[in-house]
Amino acid sequence: MHVAVGSTNPVKLEAVEQTLERFDPTVTTVAVDSGIPEQPWSVTETITGAENRARHALTATPADYGVGLEGGVARFDETPGLYLIMWAAVTDGERLERGGGPSIRLPDHIADRLEDGEELGPVMDDACNTNAIAETIGAAGVLSADLIDRASALGDALACAFGPFQVDHYAQPLE
């Protein structure tokens, strides 16, 4: 199985390799345009970015599947605060499946900076005195006390998007 990831971020590559390990995939990374702002600000924008990455990755390579992984921020009517969210999209050129990963509420001082127009990665680097945290444990790792890291969070979203390609239930009508 050949999988193309619509990003050259090493954490996104790690997420795909770890999540799909049992399929022994050949994984290729390819720089693509997500078609959305660097900091996605809604579930819709985040999913759109993942879908665009998946489609572009597949068309740029001879892969069997294109994968798009996207982190964003969003507010939910049901709960206060700004949340970090993770979404994935997978396509084989005919079907496009999507899956969501974990979400975690951002601390108010981080959310305030995002509201002022900054991007999460650099804000987290500043708050944690690090460099390129988005390419390591990410905000998810920092804010969950390393109970989950960015690769695992993105991997969960990928599992939910890739699963429908592997099970028959999606091809059968409901009784």
Side-chain angles (χ1 to χ4, degrees):
M1 171 191 309
H2 184 191
V3 177
V5 182
S7 176
T8 58
N9 184 314
V11 172
K12 292 182 179 183
L13 170 63
E14 179 184 353
V16 173
E17 289 177 335
Q18 286 179 354
T19 304
L20 302 182
E21 179 180 26
R22 76 178 201 189
F23 299 106
D24 194 28
T26 300
V27 182
T28 303
T29 60
V30 57
V32 298
D33 182 12
S34 68
I36 61 167
E38 280 293 314
Q39 181 61 72
W41 266 91
S42 66
V43 172
T44 299
E45 260 188 9
T46 306
I47 292 171
T48 298
E51 291 172 347
N52 290 341
R53 287 179 183 280
R55 286 184 188 110
H56 295 321
L58 186 64
T59 59
T61 66
D64 301 307
Y65 298 98
V67 171
L69 301 170
E70 198 70 59
V73 296
R75 293 193 182 279
F76 302 105
D77 291 339
E78 299 78 17
T79 185
L82 183 65
Y83 282 76
L84 170 62
I85 60 173
M86 307 284 175
W87 278 87
V90 177
T91 185
D92 62 1
E94 294 179 23
R95 289 174 42 202
L96 179 67
E97 297 288 345
R98 301 148 194 91
S103 59
I104 185 168
R105 187 181 63 80
L106 296 170
D108 291 340
H109 68 97
I110 300 292
D112 290 344
R113 290 181 63 180
L114 298 181
E115 295 279 2
D116 288 340
E118 295 184 65
E119 293 175 26
L120 183 58
V123 169
M124 292 302 299
D125 282 336
D126 183 49
C128 299
N129 196 28
T130 59
N131 187 26
I133 202 164
E135 295 184 5
T136 58
I137 67 170
V142 171
L143 299 175
S144 71
D146 210 17
L147 292 170
I148 190 168
D149 61 20
R150 187 168 188 226
S152 298
L154 290 167
D156 287 351
L158 173 60
C160 293
F162 192 75
F165 288 97
Q166 300 302 309
V167 296
D168 293 335
H169 296 291
Y170 293 89
Q172 297 176 8
L174 294 177
E175 306 258 342

